[in-house]
Tab-separated table of all heavy atoms in Angstrom:
chain	number	residue	atom	x	y	z
A	68	SER	N	8.030	83.843	26.723
A	68	SER	CA	9.187	83.111	26.230
A	68	SER	C	10.192	84.138	25.729
A	68	SER	O	10.070	84.658	24.617
A	68	SER	CB	8.764	82.159	25.109
A	68	SER	OG	9.887	81.516	24.543
A	69	GLY	N	11.145	84.454	26.554
A	69	GLY	CA	12.126	85.475	26.176
A	69	GLY	C	11.461	86.823	25.986
A	69	GLY	O	10.795	87.334	26.893
A	70	ARG	N	11.592	87.372	24.787
A	70	ARG	CA	10.990	88.684	24.501
A	70	ARG	C	9.529	88.569	24.070
A	70	ARG	O	8.861	89.570	23.839
A	70	ARG	CB	11.783	89.400	23.410
A	70	ARG	CG	13.215	89.741	23.816
A	70	ARG	CD	13.932	90.534	22.725
A	70	ARG	NE	14.074	89.773	21.487
A	70	ARG	CZ	13.390	90.006	20.380
A	70	ARG	NH1	12.487	90.981	20.342
A	70	ARG	NH2	13.595	89.270	19.302
A	71	TYR	N	9.063	87.342	23.903
A	71	TYR	CA	7.697	87.108	23.424
A	71	TYR	C	6.780	86.822	24.612
A	71	TYR	O	7.154	86.096	25.536
A	71	TYR	CB	7.648	85.889	22.499
A	71	TYR	CG	8.399	85.996	21.201
A	71	TYR	CD1	8.583	84.863	20.411
A	71	TYR	CD2	8.913	87.197	20.740
A	71	TYR	CE1	9.243	84.928	19.189
A	71	TYR	CE2	9.581	87.272	19.527
A	71	TYR	CZ	9.743	86.129	18.764
A	71	TYR	OH	10.401	86.189	17.550
A	72	SER	N	5.573	87.336	24.536
A	72	SER	CA	4.559	86.979	25.529
A	72	SER	C	3.198	86.943	24.858
A	72	SER	O	2.964	87.610	23.836
A	72	SER	CB	4.569	87.971	26.707
A	72	SER	OG	4.246	89.272	26.268
A	73	TRP	N	2.319	86.123	25.438
A	73	TRP	CA	0.996	85.950	24.861
A	73	TRP	C	-0.045	86.150	25.939
A	73	TRP	O	0.108	85.667	27.072
A	73	TRP	CB	0.852	84.548	24.265
A	73	TRP	CG	1.688	84.367	23.043
A	73	TRP	CD1	1.316	84.594	21.759
A	73	TRP	CD2	3.048	83.926	22.982
A	73	TRP	NE1	2.352	84.323	20.900
A	73	TRP	CE2	3.420	83.911	21.623
A	73	TRP	CE3	3.994	83.547	23.937
A	73	TRP	CZ2	4.693	83.532	21.193
A	73	TRP	CZ3	5.256	83.168	23.516
A	73	TRP	CH2	5.592	83.168	22.151
A	74	ASN	N	-1.107	86.849	25.581
A	74	ASN	CA	-2.193	87.128	26.503
A	74	ASN	C	-3.469	86.514	25.954
A	74	ASN	O	-3.993	86.963	24.926
A	74	ASN	CB	-2.349	88.651	26.677
A	74	ASN	CG	-3.436	88.995	27.660
A	74	ASN	OD1	-4.610	89.065	27.293
A	74	ASN	ND2	-3.072	89.210	28.908
A	75	PHE	N	-3.965	85.471	26.632
A	75	PHE	CA	-5.157	84.768	26.185
A	75	PHE	C	-6.303	85.176	27.088
A	75	PHE	O	-6.239	84.986	28.311
A	75	PHE	CB	-4.907	83.261	26.260
A	75	PHE	CG	-6.102	82.399	25.938
A	75	PHE	CD1	-7.055	82.805	25.016
A	75	PHE	CD2	-6.256	81.166	26.544
A	75	PHE	CE1	-8.135	82.002	24.711
A	75	PHE	CE2	-7.338	80.356	26.243
A	75	PHE	CZ	-8.279	80.771	25.334
A	76	GLN	N	-7.341	85.749	26.508
A	76	GLN	CA	-8.516	86.139	27.284
A	76	GLN	C	-9.760	85.541	26.638
A	76	GLN	O	-10.233	86.032	25.608
A	76	GLN	CB	-8.622	87.664	27.356
A	76	GLN	CG	-7.490	88.294	28.146
A	76	GLN	CD	-7.851	89.650	28.712
A	76	GLN	OE1	-8.796	90.284	28.238
A	76	GLN	NE2	-7.127	90.096	29.712
A	77	LYS	N	-10.279	84.527	27.284
A	77	LYS	CA	-11.457	83.846	26.762
A	77	LYS	C	-12.673	84.765	26.746
A	77	LYS	O	-13.516	84.684	25.852
A	77	LYS	CB	-11.750	82.630	27.634
A	77	LYS	CG	-12.026	81.360	26.893
A	77	LYS	CD	-11.987	80.204	27.846
A	77	LYS	CE	-12.585	78.992	27.186
A	77	LYS	NZ	-12.522	77.819	28.068
A	78	SER	N	-12.756	85.630	27.722
A	78	SER	CA	-13.936	86.498	27.842
A	78	SER	C	-14.092	87.418	26.641
A	78	SER	O	-15.209	87.803	26.282
A	78	SER	CB	-13.850	87.326	29.127
A	78	SER	OG	-12.680	88.121	29.111
A	79	THR	N	-12.970	87.758	26.022
A	79	THR	CA	-13.025	88.638	24.841
A	79	THR	C	-12.609	87.893	23.572
A	79	THR	O	-12.455	88.509	22.517
A	79	THR	CB	-12.105	89.858	25.034
A	79	THR	OG1	-10.775	89.394	25.321
A	79	THR	CG2	-12.591	90.743	26.166
Side-chain angles (χ1 to χ4, degrees):
Chain A
S68 175
R70 296 184 297 108
Y71 295 170
S72 62
W73 290 269
N74 182 275
F75 175 33
Q76 294 204 341
K77 227 167 166 178
S78 59
T79 56

